[in-house]
Amino acid sequence: IALFVTGDSLSRNQAQLVLRRNAIQSIFTAALGISSMLLFVSHREAVLLIVTITVGMVWLVRVNNRQRRTHDAYRATHQLGGQLRDSEDLTGSLQCIANETQLMLNASSAAVITFGANPQVVSAGEPFALPSVGDVVWERTVTNRQPVLLAAGATQRNARSYLRQHRVRDLVAAPLVRDDVAVGLVIAANHRYAADSFRSEDLELLAQVAMMSAVEVRNHDLIEQLRVEADQHLHDAQHDSLTGLPNRLGFTEAVESVLAEIEVVSDSTHPRRAALMFMDLNQFKSVNDSLGHHVGDALLVEIAHRLVSLLPTNWIGARLGGDEFAVIGTFVDDDEIDHFVDVLQHSIMQPIRCDGAVLNTSASIGVAVAPENGLTRLSLMRRADVAMYAAKGSGSRRFLKYQPEQENVTARQLELVADLRTALDHRQVEVCFQPRASLATGAVMGIEALARWNHPVSGPIAPDDFIPLAEQAGLIDQLTDLVVSEAVRVSRELADNGMGLEVSVNISARTLRDPQFPYRVFSLLAGDGSERHRDHPVRLKFEITEREIVLDSVTTNDVMRRLRDRGIRFSIDDFGTGYSSLAYLTQLAVDEVKIDKTFTAFVCESAHHRAIVKSVVDIAATIGLTVVAEGVEDQATWDMLSSLGCEEAQGYLLSRPLGVSDLQTWMQERSRSLAAIS
């Protein structure tokens, strides 16, 4: 009744709790009061006893109330701890704290405020004005990290001013402290009972709640940090650090997901299928070897960017490692695959400018289709790989879909690598020689050493087939050493017979990056130190394809310098098919340019090709380089190249590659023929 009269109210549960707690105490107190009154009326001299009993009872009631409040505080904080353990997120935890704070302190309003990267404000009860930066509550709790009690009827001027400005009757607040820094605060305002106000016991209880809140915030921050780190580690584990694309692990999961999707989702009229593509860049190793790995990395990043920009919706691209990329996606019509590959290859073939060089590349692409070529990840990836290697080995066909017969092609390549290793170990790879001659006089100016492999079972294997295999299998240095050794031996043999000629040998950029290569060459040139070897020194020239020339490699420049110091010359082979421009010639430490047969073959029919040849000849003459035309197969081409100022020629019109004995015979006949003409 008193609460009703004063305007306060209790919930039904609160009223029942108050009645249970105070019923016995009220009955006992009433009985004691009546008994004391009767005793006082009948025996006034018992007043001292009555006063003593009354004081004692008041003390006992106060002690009991204090213990009860302490017990209630422990029970409430224990209950709050249990609720926090069951909370799944920080917002839910803060809401529990606000709700329990309101109940524990009999407050009309409560709130929890957190700062930092993810600030939050969670409240319970009636809305009220929260502290702001610079006011008295903020300064004491946040700046000074101290709890604050502003009781009703506060005597301090700043406290009264705060309560009046924020329109609250009383207030209690405590900071959430972590590592001596306030990370938030918990606050309660307006005691529920107008006749009462917050006390020091409430402040102590709120301080405990604030400690629990700070621990809860810290735990959630740690959990969030661990989750972010775990997500980052998972992302790093599944993505390529260079391109940002999924790596082999991430792509494996994508393939599994797509295959599961096409098994579950299927339309009877237009069933969905999945295409898995493997893509390998052509001549990427030459870019790394000749221009440096930083250029190779830039090329990979650009290719990845172009790939991602062209991917259809919901398709996934990945970099599996090295220069190998992969794509997985669903489709309905085969034309979708053909169109995507056409667009992708056209994009890849567009020139890429990097570090002063213009790179022109292409890709070999193999495709396996589910469910036709398999419905398991392993089978589909293996067959896409087989199709890609079949495309790479097919020459002009850069895109192939998987066919069962391709399995034999890939297996055959593995067999050839093993057989090539055996052939090199037993020096079963032969070296033939193709002469080159002066266009003006027809005189033989030199010979080029060419590797030839006659397989004991399969017969002759084309250089375009086994030399790339040697590079992929790491056998190119062994093959180069064999050819250089044979070239030196034949050069000496020809010199002994009065036919001393310059001998050319093709070498890869990888060989030029090997610091030990010059020492191996010098050892061969030194021979046995005899007078015979001193009288007939070997004239050696190394040919490097334009794609494999390096300007910024300290190692390569040093290797070339040491070789040139010993009189070895250098030639650019297949000029016009690589990355450089004509102006690039001025920066190269070379002596000769060999124009690729793709230009010389049509020099009679095409004015465009004649203009290209003439430009090369003019620039080469200006900077003192010899120009050799490759692939000359008829007299008309010979005459046209001569009229354009080209100095030397090499091709089938002059001679096919010959063995040593046949070469000597041919040269003797050539000498007699030229002598007869003169």
Side-chain angles (χ1 to χ4, degrees), residues 137 140-141 146-152 154 156 159 163 170-174 188 197-204 206:
V137 173
R140 291 186 185 179
T141 55
Q146 296 176 351
V148 174
L149 170 61
L150 302 182
Q156 294 180 342
L163 295 174
D170 51 2
L171 175 147
V172 61
S197 181
F198 296 119
R199 304 176 183 177
S200 60
E201 295 90 339
D202 298 319
L203 188 61
E204 293 175 3
L206 190 63

Side-chain angles (χ1 to χ4, degrees), residues 313-351:
T313 304
N314 298 326
W315 282 38
I316 298 173
R319 180 191 175 209
L320 303 186
D323 61 337
E324 196 169 278
F325 294 82
V327 174
I328 183 72
T330 58
F331 70 100
V332 174
D333 194 329
D334 285 345
D335 290 341
E336 297 178 46
I337 302 298
D338 296 338
H339 174 71
F340 171 71
V341 172
D342 287 344
V343 173
L344 177 60
Q345 287 188 322
H346 179 266
S347 175
I348 291 174
M349 292 175 67
Q350 298 306 304

Side-chain angles (χ1 to χ4, degrees), residues 226-246:
L226 291 174
R227 186 190 66 79
V228 170
E229 290 179 357
D231 290 345
Q232 185 62 48
H233 290 159
L234 178 61
H235 180 275
D236 293 343
Q238 295 182 341
H239 287 76
D240 172 46
S241 60
L242 177 64
T243 63
L245 293 177

Side-chain angles (χ1 to χ4, degrees), residues 286 506-507 543-549 571-574 577:
S286 297
N506 289 283
I507 59 174
E543 297 186 4
I544 324 164
T545 61
E546 184 186 358
R547 295 174 181 270
E548 297 177 332
I549 297 171
S571 173
I572 304 176
D573 197 14
D574 301 334
T577 62

Side-chain angles (χ1 to χ4, degrees), residues 41 59 67 97 119 134 147 164 218 226 273 306 322 362 485 603 615 633 641 674:
V41 170
W59 179 79
Q67 291 178 342
I97 294 170
R164 184 174 59 255
R218 181 197 62 189
L226 291 174
R273 299 148 70 199
R306 296 184 183 186
S362 61
S485 174
V603 72
S615 297
E633 299 185 1
L641 290 169
L674 291 175

